[in-house]
């Protein structure tokens, strides 16, 4: 299943897929096209997955087979983070299952996060898989997490379940799997109708240093 876009009135719901939803080049193309539509038609964005995974992040199999395209690939991923971070509508990640590595970074790039309460982990495993954070990725995480949470999450690879993620400030609320998208819609409903130009300008100013680091691609 490729990423699909549906609407709840003015709220766009982008389903990232029904497997591990890794960031293959084709997946990145599909998400980019969906965000183009969101910017034209929607007043808010919710992203979610189906089943066990929100997203497992980088497509490491593709990277191993295409090592000469590593810089190009990382730049594309970081462009996605920067775009979601500064999107001109309110955004909520409805984290239905596991969010690992770059998948967790995608979630934290949203304005808000609602996580499944009974299963699934929120994790930055880079220290254990020996892939250091780029400057842009580190800046993104540190802009969104409490300082001590960032230290623990980034340097230990700790796996946060829903309630622990809520206590650590990684997510804004938790809900049952069947209700996570509904909870995200409830979260964003009062925010509909904000002027997109103003909202986009505010986010771009708030996160100017993060966006600069992501665009640098290192």
């Amino acid at each position: 299943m490729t990423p699909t876009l549906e609407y709840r009135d003015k709220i766009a719901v982008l389903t990232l897929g029904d497997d591990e939803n890794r960031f293959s080049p084709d997946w990145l193309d599909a998400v980019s096209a969906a965000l183009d539509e969101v910017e034209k038609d929607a007043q808010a964005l919710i992203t979610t997955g189906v089943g066990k995974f929100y997203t497992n992040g980088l497509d490491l199999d593709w990277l191993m087979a295409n090592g000469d395209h590593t810089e190009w690939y990382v730049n594309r991923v970081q462009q996605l983070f920067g775009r979601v971070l500064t999107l001109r509508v309110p955004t909520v990640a409805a984290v239905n299952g596991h969010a690992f590595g770059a998948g967790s970074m995608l979630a934290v790039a949203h304005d808000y996060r609602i996580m499944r309460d009974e299963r699934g982990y929120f994790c930055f495993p880079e220290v254990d898989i020996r892939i250091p954070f780029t400057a842009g990725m580190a800046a993104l995480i540190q802009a969104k997490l409490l300082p001590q949470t960032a230290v623990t999450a980034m340097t230990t690879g700790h796996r946060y379940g829903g309630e622990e993620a809520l206590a650590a400030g990684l997510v804004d609320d938790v809900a049952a799997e069947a209700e996570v998208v509904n909870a995200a819609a409830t979260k964003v409903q009062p925010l509909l109708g904000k002027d997109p130009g103003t909202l986009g300008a505010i986010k771009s100013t708030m996160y100017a240093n993060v966006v600069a680091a992501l665009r640098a691609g290192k």
Side-chain angles (χ1 to χ4, degrees), residues 74-75 77-83 85 109 134-140 207-218:
V74 171
N75 284 341
V77 170
Q78 297 199 154
Q79 287 169 13
L80 172 62
F81 295 158
R83 187 173 185 187
L85 185 67
T134 66
M137 292 173 179
L140 170 63
Y207 302 118
N209 292 338
V210 178
V211 172
L214 289 168
R215 287 177 176 168
K218 297 179 181 179

Side-chain angles (χ1 to χ4, degrees), residues 95-177:
V95 183
N96 59 289
H98 297 313
F100 276 88
S104 290
M105 295 175 211
L106 177 61
V108 300
H110 292 65
D111 299 327
Y112 304 100
R113 286 153 296 287
I114 310 294
M115 186 175 177
R116 178 177 174 178
D117 58 1
E118 78 281 14
R119 296 187 68 184
Y121 292 111
F122 203 109
C123 177
F124 301 96
E126 280 74 9
V127 68
D128 293 322
I129 60 176
R130 301 184 181 184
I131 300 179
F133 297 96
T134 66
M137 292 173 179
L140 170 63
I141 297 167
Q142 289 175 277
K144 288 302 193 82
L145 271 57
L146 296 170
Q148 195 56 43
T149 299
V151 170
T152 301
M154 295 174 71
T155 67
T156 72
H158 182 70
R159 296 185 176 197
Y160 293 83
E163 294 293 346
E164 190 178 10
L166 178 62
L170 277 164
V171 301
D172 299 279
D173 206 349
V174 294
E177 179 187 10

Side-chain angles (χ1 to χ4, degrees), residues 198-209:
T198 303
L199 184 58
I202 289 172
K203 290 185 184 181
S204 293
T205 300
M206 286 177 67
Y207 302 118
N209 292 338

Side-chain angles (χ1 to χ4, degrees), residues 43-44 90-92 111-112 186-194 199:
Q43 293 185 10
T91 59
V92 186
D111 299 327
Y112 304 100
T186 299
K187 180 75 173 178
V188 82
Q189 185 69 39
L191 308 177
L192 300 182
K194 302 295 185 186
L199 184 58

